[in-house]
Each structure stands twice: as C-alpha cells, then as structure tokens.
Amino acid sequence: MTGFPQHPNYVGLNRPLGEEYDLADLVIEGEVPAEVEGCFFRAVPDPAFPPFMEDAGAILSGDGMISAIRFADGKASFSIRYVETERHRAEAAAGEALFGKYRNPFTDKPGAAGLDRTVANTTPIWHAGRLLLAKEDGRPYRVDPHSLETLGSYDFGGKLKSQTVTAHARIDPESGELFMFGYEADGLASTKLAYFIVDSDGNLTRELWFDAPYCSMMHDFAITENYVLFPIYPTSCDLDRLKAGGDHWVHHPDVDSWLGVMPRYGEVSELRWFRGPKGVSCYHMMGAFEDGQGQIHFDQCLSDSNAFPFIREASGIALQQWELNGRLARWTVNYAGGPDEVAETVIGPPGDFPIIPAARQGRYYDHGWMLTMNPEMRGPPVAGGPVGAMFNMLLRLDFAGGPPQALALPPAHSINEPVHVPAAEAGREGWLVAVVDRQIGPDDFAHECWIVDAGNVAAGPVARVHIPHRLRPQVHGWWVSAAQLEAAA
Ligand code: V55
Ligand code: FE
C-alpha cells in the first residue's frame, strides 16, 4: 500500500496492508487442545486509501476487515476480507478516499454525500447464528461466517430504529438474549440513546429511547441479571464544532461522569442516574453483577482522562499515557436506596481488554483476564494501535483472594485482545487464544496465534500457530465454536 503519510497511524505495525488472502494448514508448534475447535473471528481496521486531510483520529477509521482463524482437527487456517461497506465500495469505485475526518461528515468529499459512513471495524458479534461486524457510529454489517462475504447493513429485519449500534453487546448466558444500545441514535451530537433487546432467535423485541445527561462517547456498557447499566464519561461531541470541520470528540476534565441504572425490562421512568467522578474515561467494562445484598457492582478499565492521545490533544490535555492513573475500578451503587453517587474501589491494575467467561456475563465472576503493560519491561513497547503502544502482558486476576497470574511477553512482542474458549467440563478454565506480534525490524513483524491455558496463563502458550503474513493490529474478537457454526450452516 502506497501513498500513506509518515504518521504513526500508518507506519510500523499500523502500516496499511490492504490485502485479502487465505492461508491453509498453518505451521503449529505444540498441540492445539481438542476444545479449541471452531473459529476466532477478528475485527481488523485497515485503511484502503490514503487520507486527503490530516486527522489523527483516522486511526479509528480504517476500513473494517473480518479475519477468521479456523481450528479443526488440530489444524489451523487463516482468512481475511474487507467488510464491503457502502463506504468501502464507494471509495474503491472512486479509487481514492472520499470520507474526511473521523466521524465528521462535514469534511467529506461530495462523492461521499448521503452514504453510510461506518467502517464496521470494531467487533465481530455472533448471535442467533448471525455474524455482525459493528462500530459505534452506525449500524452493523452482516457477514457470512463461512465465506466472509458481506451480506449488507443489518437492521434486524427492518425493526431497528436507532441509526447507531455500539460495538459492545452483552449476551445473557441463560436466556440467550442479546442486549445492545446505540448513542447519537438519531444523529450527530445527539443526546438520544437507544437500548434494545434481541431474543435468542434473533428477533428485536424491544427498543427504548431516552436522553443521556449529555452526548458522551459510550463505547461499552454492562448488564446484571436484573439491570442494564449505561456509563457516561465526559468525552463529548458538539455539532457546531463538527460543522466547523473540527474533531468529533473533546474530553472535559471538569464534567461529571454518570452511571445510569435501569431494570433490564423496565421503563425509561425507572432509570436512575448515579454521579461518578469528574473527568474520568473508560472504553471497556469487565462486567457487572448484583451481590444479593442490594448492591450492583460495575467493573471497568478506568482512567483519569481519555486513553486516546488524539482525543487528549484535541482537548488541550497535556497528560502522558503513564499519567492517566489507569485502574480496574469497581463502581458500586444501590438501585433501591443509598446515595446518588457511585462508590469506587480499585480492584486491579491499569490496562484494557477485560474479559470474563461468557457463562458469567451479568453474574459474579471470581476471575477475569485483561491486558496490561509489563511494569518491569526492559525496552519500549511495540508501537501501534490507537493508543500508540501495544500491550505486552496477559493477566489473570483472581477476585476471590488468589494471587494474580501474569504472562510477560519477551521484549519487542505485543499481544492483541484474546478470546476465551470455554472448557468442556467444570474444574478447568478453558483457553485464551490471541494474536501475538513480534517486531523483527523497523517495519518488519512476525505474527503467531497463541493458545494459553486460561487457568495458568503464566505457563505460556501450549500451542503457537505461525501466520506467515504481515497483520495489522486487531480491535476485538469473538470465539464461535464448531457446533455453533454447524448449527448456522
Ligand atoms: C474504540 C475503537 C473504535 C472506535 C471507538 O477501542 C472507540 C475503542 C476501532 O474503532 O471507533
Ligand atoms: Fe471496544
């Protein structure tokens, strides 16, 4: 790929690749566990055309690609395809970028007018036999899980009213219902939130609309067995700024955060807002649960400012990445009584990409996993991704009093978000599967897919699948078992 600027968004691990390809019968060191039978779907942004204006936020605008690492009978294969969004098709037809700044249509070329701006680049979501590729600025795209062919923008059979659906969905492990929401649901800079429920057969059964305290970048949310939780952090959008060609997001250190709590099947009148600390920011929640004593606990990778350098820069905030006071923070509230403010407890280190077993979604979890930066690392982290530095340590956190476990990667290695593959029987924790990058030169990388015992991450990989091709940083992934894939065939 040529013509891209010498900007961190487009060099090294972030260098655009723009290639669709398939790799069969990958070389494997070690043995793939029998339980790892299925497909690891990955969302990988990769800009197809050089930008026509300076925009550091473009790191989030790379065209969505859907990648699949398939495991069958101890063997592995790899595929990657563009998500054929309306945007990608229009730019491919024009042979150049038509869309301007991240989430600012006022900066687009005339050829982009009226077209869907989403790049569907953030999360592959599997539900009711469908594979969706979601990004928070638009509706998801549906992709064929076998061929990776794009089937088009997805509106749940015409039922969805929201113009946006976030990339973070929560599935109740007992009912199989999918809980989702969209912000800026009726347009740019709007305070309108849409919350909706999709039943286990894929039917959208409910969509509620209400107002957020202000327009906020709401990347993720959480559910408990009886409640849905909407976090509001003061990274906000302003329509006049957009019209003037400015950035979508500015972070406001002096503005309150909020946690909205509503019964899952309740009405908007039952929504209760709890005030949180000023100026904080979070992209991902580990989960949330009720403790039986009326308390709701909400666990998140929180920091004192926005974790994305390009947003801090647009906001005039001079803090460096290591000055953000990152932490795994538990906010506790009592819906039925208690104060109108959250109570915060720090339960883990700085980091991101928190995960729990799918079977614990909305329930108490006594352990979870996340990525962090090795505090004892010798040498710099691998540069890449929207923060500018990739994680280099995988953690298993024990919330029942046990010690944390850490898998420290060697120097010049980085790790992308793992997926969890559950164990077939109780007593074991299953496996974590993640792509690991190794920098072997200024613009040279080798990539492997590691399989790690989820209950013993410090032991390192039991299998390493070599991927003999350059890869770009992944955003999120989703594990779909062979049985789920077969049922959907
Ligand atoms: C994130 C990622 C996005 C985005 C907004 O990880 C937030 C956070 C890859 O796109 O548009
Ligand atoms: Fe995310």
Side-chain angles (χ1 to χ4, degrees):
M1 301 287 281
T2 54
F4 284 89
Q6 288 297 307
H7 178 279
N9 287 355
Y10 309 105
V11 301
L13 196 59
N14 284 342
R15 179 161 63 82
L17 303 174
E19 222 183 308
E20 302 183 312
Y21 55 95
D22 304 282
L23 305 165
D25 214 352
L26 300 171
V27 170
I28 300 171
E29 285 179 67
E31 207 168 310
V32 177
E35 284 158 339
V36 180
E37 191 80 5
C39 188
F40 175 13
F41 289 106
R42 304 161 60 244
V44 183
D46 194 344
F49 295 97
F52 59 84
M53 58 196 306
E54 259 183 56
D55 173 24
I59 187 70
L60 303 181
S61 292
D63 291 282
M65 296 192 83
I66 172 70
S67 173
I69 305 178
R70 291 182 203 278
F71 294 92
D73 304 320
K75 292 175 180 263
S77 65
F78 181 99
S79 304
I80 187 163
R81 296 283 183 280
Y82 280 111
V83 184
E84 296 282 343
T85 59
E86 196 169 64
R87 172 177 175 141
H88 179 68
R89 285 181 177 220
E91 294 192 331
E96 61 170 17
L98 299 173
F99 295 79
K101 289 178 97 160
Y102 175 67
R103 298 186 69 174
N104 187 342
F106 301 102
T107 62
D108 292 349
K109 289 183 179 171
L115 300 182
D116 184 1
R117 286 189 108 251
T118 196
V119 284
N121 71 359
T122 311
T123 311
I125 297 169
W126 178 269
H127 183 252
R130 294 189 184 96
L131 180 63
L132 304 177
L133 262 287
K135 183 178 184 76
E136 63 201 58
D137 67 349
R139 288 175 170 173
Y141 271 74
R142 187 175 172 196
V143 169
D144 182 300
H146 307 285
S147 67
L148 304 186
E149 190 188 323
T150 300
L151 303 172
S153 178
Y154 193 66
D155 63 3
F156 296 87
K159 291 240 183 78
L160 181 70
K161 293 190 191 73
S162 180
Q163 294 174 16
T164 63
V165 178
T166 59
H168 289 281
R170 303 275 171 179
I171 296 177
D172 186 280
E174 278 164 50
S175 71
E177 290 163 300
L178 173 72
F179 294 85
M180 300 182 115
F181 78 102
Y183 69 88
E184 299 184 43
D186 64 348
L188 291 169
S190 156
T191 56
K192 284 283 179 284
L193 300 181
Y195 158 60
F196 55 101
I197 304 175
V198 181
D199 72 16
S200 58
D201 295 324
N203 304 306
L204 194 154
T205 52
R206 196 138 197 261
E207 181 170 349
L208 287 183
W209 283 53
F210 55 98
D211 282 295
Y214 51 82
C215 173
S216 162
M217 186 184 205
M218 296 171 69
H219 184 70
D220 192 1
F221 78 137
I223 58 168
T224 69
E225 278 183 80
N226 296 293
Y227 296 92
V228 55
L229 291 79
F230 300 102
I232 310 279
Y233 307 102
T235 300
S236 197
C237 181
D238 176 84
L239 192 56
D240 290 331
R241 185 171 67 237
L242 291 181
K243 287 180 177 166
D247 288 316
H248 195 100
W249 297 121
V250 165
H251 190 73
H252 301 280
D254 298 326
V255 172
D256 289 327
S257 59
W258 294 91
L259 185 64
V261 182
M262 191 174 80
R264 265 190 190 186
Y265 310 103
E267 297 300 332
V268 171
S269 59
E270 297 174 88
L271 185 61
R272 184 170 171 200
W273 291 103
F274 295 85
R275 191 189 304 267
K278 290 188 198 305
V280 294
S281 176
C282 161
Y283 284 98
H284 300 115
M285 288 86 221
M286 183 169 266
F289 60 94
E290 295 157 56
D291 66 6
Q293 274 118 51
Q295 310 265 67
I296 296 172
H297 305 282
F298 173 83
D299 297 345
Q300 58 191 313
C301 293
L302 194 70
S303 48
D304 281 348
S305 185
N306 198 293
F308 286 170
F310 79 87
I311 294 180
R312 294 201 302 280
E313 201 183 318
S315 315
I317 296 169
L319 292 172
Q320 300 297 318
Q321 216 62 28
W322 53 88
E323 297 174 311
L324 298 184
N325 187 30
R327 67 241 186 227
L328 182 61
R330 174 166 292 173
W331 282 0
T332 299
V333 298
N334 187 322
Y335 179 79
D340 292 326
E341 297 193 349
V342 306
E344 181 175 320
T345 327
V346 176
I347 61 167
D352 201 5
F353 297 116
I355 51 179
I356 56 169
R360 304 308 305 163
Q361 188 66 254
R363 280 82 179 152
Y364 171 71
Y365 37 90
D366 64 12
H367 65 279
W369 304 273
M370 61 185 277
L371 301 183
T372 192
M373 213 55 104
N374 183 351
E376 292 168 15
M377 188 68 195
R378 280 161 297 143
V382 174
V387 163
M390 302 286 290
F391 289 113
N392 56 23
M393 183 176 256
L394 170 63
L395 293 176
R396 179 195 182 279
L397 297 178
D398 194 310
F399 303 114
Q405 299 172 6
L407 173 58
L409 298 183
H413 281 64
S414 55
I415 181 166
N416 296 262
E417 184 186 60
V419 284
H420 177 238
V421 180
E425 73 266 357
R428 289 182 302 110
E429 291 182 14
W431 308 95
L432 298 177
V433 185
V435 169
V436 170
D437 318 296
R438 177 166 59 99
Q439 183 152 21
I440 50 185
D443 188 33
D444 215 1
F445 295 83
H447 307 275
E448 295 176 352
C449 182
W450 287 16
I451 303 174
V452 177
D453 181 344
N456 187 11
V457 304
V462 300
R464 291 162 41 187
V465 180
H466 291 248
I467 301 169
H469 199 288
R470 270 296 311 278
L471 305 180
R472 248 185 146 249
Q474 160 203 319
V475 189
H476 297 291
W478 199 284
W479 174 255
V480 183
S481 70
Q484 288 174 303
L485 281 166
E486 268 160 41

